[in-house]
């Protein structure tokens, strides 16, 4: 038994979709969330810069005395997971392997699509992870940069969202994928329109659920779950690196609840 | 006469539209451009964070021994221009006052629209500057967050761009503005579709041209122009704070030329 919290970090507030899945899968656990809103997004930046920012976030988590770090950001998971794991000396879990594993498992035809930021797609991390599980899989990947601002603007089911989705997803329809990985924490907000464009024959994989299940498995294996249902209720804390106000509304939309208390943290140069 | 370069800084590569206007208006001047691509964008971040980043950029410019600093970013000009001017001890010119002045001059009806990032619109800087020149003006402003990724994606004249523009610009059409300020360096790339949606009766103001004209006026008044047409040819340098590669193509699209040599600079904690 280990009552220390789990650290969850992301470039911004998109990782709250992962937070939410963790909270459901691990109701007895305290969670510390960090969104690097002063430098968001990571997905347009170089691997080197994303590694530097991710290590600073990991140092912040070590100061919070966490027992595990979940890298909720697909971009950071793609390019910085090894560096974070080396630095942290703790169990570190990214969103790529669980999402890739789920896609490899679900796909019948082996034709799998991956959408994400430019940095995630450019890294090839999903392809590699899918091929480790299914060497014969045919994986195609494309970045969908407009999906992030659409999700943040709340334009998730209007005609513009549908047209953008049709444009980005056409190559996946042509390739006849039967499984599509939503490889960015923002994309689950566009689940409806992506599903509509891809049609009922295509399964959408949201890494958040698979990551939360994997986190539970790891903690159980290590016998380091907090006591479920004990007298102590889990306590969650939410940190952001920029002033909280501009992100409040978007954060609440991602988390699906209001009254969220965001605290300010400094991680730069950590 | 002063042969030192002019410093031009922006959150990313959008300010290259201002660089280009300066190069045309001041062909004898050497220019040093800095794009803070490791932390781009500024427009979604808090004023406090934008001020901190802008001061770091200003310190970088001081180390380049510039004679003047042009803040090519609308967001930084809106919230950080006073702090930069205090710190720099040099002539500092933002894009807000020249753009606002031009709009106040051009508008017949006094009904003026302003579009920009959330931070720029939230600051009210354009309204204040327009009202200083025309106290009776009726100014309406709205943020248009999707215009930036559309410009970066190169989707500047397709059906999606037009539909996004129709959605964002409807309130300005209803209000009957006769002048619209493109209050973000990315927006001139969408000049065509914005003009089409607003119609021929509405004048679009691009701050880049007015800012370059104002820079020339200031240097002439100070007698600190570099010698035009002398034996020394101006030399330009382009710095970015992230690895150059991911920004190369977008930078060249903004500057309208290829073969651009981007150098890496570190400004964090300056």
């Amino acid at each position: 038994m280990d009552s220390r919290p789990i650290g969850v970090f992301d470039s911004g507030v998109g990782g709250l979709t992962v937070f939410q899945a963790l909270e459901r899968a691990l109701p007895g656990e305290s969670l510390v969330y960090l969104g690097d809103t002063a430098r968001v997004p990571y997905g347009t930046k170089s691997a080197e810069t994303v590694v530097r920012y991710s290590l600073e976030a990991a140092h912040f988590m070590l100061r919070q005395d966490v027992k595990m770090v979940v890298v909720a950001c697909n971009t950071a998971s793609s390019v910085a997971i090894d560096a974070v794991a080396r630095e942290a000396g703790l169990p570190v879990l990214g969103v790529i392997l669980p999402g890739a594993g789920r896609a490899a498992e679900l796909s019948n035809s082996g034709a799998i699509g991956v959408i994400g930021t430019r940095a995630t797609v450019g890294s090839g991390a999903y392809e590699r992870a899918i091929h480790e599980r299914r060497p014969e899989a045919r994986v195609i990947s494309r970045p969908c940069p407009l999906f992030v601002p659409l999700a943040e603007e709340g334009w998730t089911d209007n005609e513009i969202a549908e047209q953008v989705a049709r444009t980005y997803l056409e190559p996946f329809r042509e390739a006849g994928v039967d499984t599509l990985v939503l490889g960015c924490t923002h994309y689950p907000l566009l689940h409806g329109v992506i599903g509509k464009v891809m049609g009922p024959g295509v399964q959408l994989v949201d890494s958040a659920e698979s990551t939360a299940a994997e986190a539970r498995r790891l903690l159980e294996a290590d016998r380091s779950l907090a006591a479920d249902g004990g007298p102590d209720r889990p306590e969650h804390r939410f940190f952001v690196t920029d002033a909280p106000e501009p992100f409040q509304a978007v954060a609440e939309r991602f988390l699906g609840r209001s009254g969220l208390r965001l605290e300010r943290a400094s991680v730069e140069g950590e």
Side-chain angles (χ1 to χ4, degrees), chain A:
Chain A
M1 198 192 111
D2 185 341
S3 62
R4 289 178 300 165
I6 299 171
V8 185
F9 90 80
D10 179 42
S11 57
V13 296
L16 289 170
T17 55
V18 177
F19 176 96
Q20 215 179 14
L22 286 165
E23 198 186 12
R24 272 196 301 261
L26 293 157
E29 302 294 325
S30 294
L31 304 171
V32 176
Y33 185 89
L34 172 69
D36 191 8
T37 51
R39 303 188 290 198
V40 72
Y42 286 1
T44 56
K45 286 155 197 164
S46 73
E48 178 198 334
T49 292
V50 173
V51 168
R52 183 160 57 90
Y53 292 171
S54 300
L55 289 178
E56 291 176 354
H59 291 153
F60 172 85
M61 286 303 176
L62 292 178
R63 282 201 286 121
Q64 307 301 311
D65 192 25
V66 299
K67 61 182 168 188
M68 170 189 260
V69 175
V70 176
V71 181
C73 173
N74 279 267
T75 302
S77 296
S78 297
V79 303
I81 196 86
D82 294 340
V84 169
R86 268 196 305 275
E87 196 85 0
L90 285 174
V92 170
L93 179 62
V95 292
I96 304 289
L97 297 186
R102 183 76 182 134
E105 188 181 294
L106 278 178
S107 175
N108 289 314
S109 66
I112 299 172
V114 177
I115 55 177
T117 63
R118 284 195 199 290
T120 297
V121 168
S123 77
Y126 271 109
E127 280 91 327
R128 280 194 301 279
I130 293 169
H131 281 138
E132 266 175 36
R133 282 159 193 71
R134 288 188 61 169
E136 90 296 357
R138 197 160 51 83
V139 184
I140 71 160
S141 338
R142 292 288 175 103
C144 303
L146 263 88
F147 280 175
V148 168
L150 281 173
E152 294 193 344
E153 189 75 330
W155 290 6
T156 53
D157 58 2
N158 66 7
E159 209 185 316
I160 292 169
E162 189 171 332
Q163 222 172 336
V164 171
R166 285 200 186 284
T167 306
Y168 281 141
L169 301 175
E170 184 54 31
F172 298 98
R173 286 161 51 89
E174 276 178 20
V177 303
D178 72 350
T179 307
L180 181 68
V181 180
L182 310 183
C184 171
T185 52
H186 277 65
Y187 297 178
L189 274 77
L190 292 154
H191 194 283
V193 71
I194 294 170
K196 183 175 172 189
V197 168
M198 293 307 294
V202 176
Q203 311 193 66
L204 305 185
V205 174
D206 170 1
S207 301
E209 303 300 330
S210 329
T211 302
E214 178 66 11
R216 179 162 194 108
R217 207 190 56 73
L218 286 175
L219 291 173
E220 281 171 351
D222 282 358
R223 298 178 167 275
S224 54
L225 281 171
D228 279 316
D232 292 334
R233 286 173 54 84
E235 277 178 26
H236 305 319
R237 294 183 74 179
F238 300 90
F239 293 94
V240 286
T241 57
D242 194 359
E245 295 72 27
F247 296 93
Q248 188 74 34
V250 180
E252 293 181 351
R253 183 178 320 133
F254 273 89
L255 199 59
R257 79 183 68 148
S258 59
L260 184 64
R261 197 168 74 84
L262 296 172
E263 300 176 64
R264 179 73 172 269
S266 173
V267 304
E268 223 169 87
E270 278 269 337

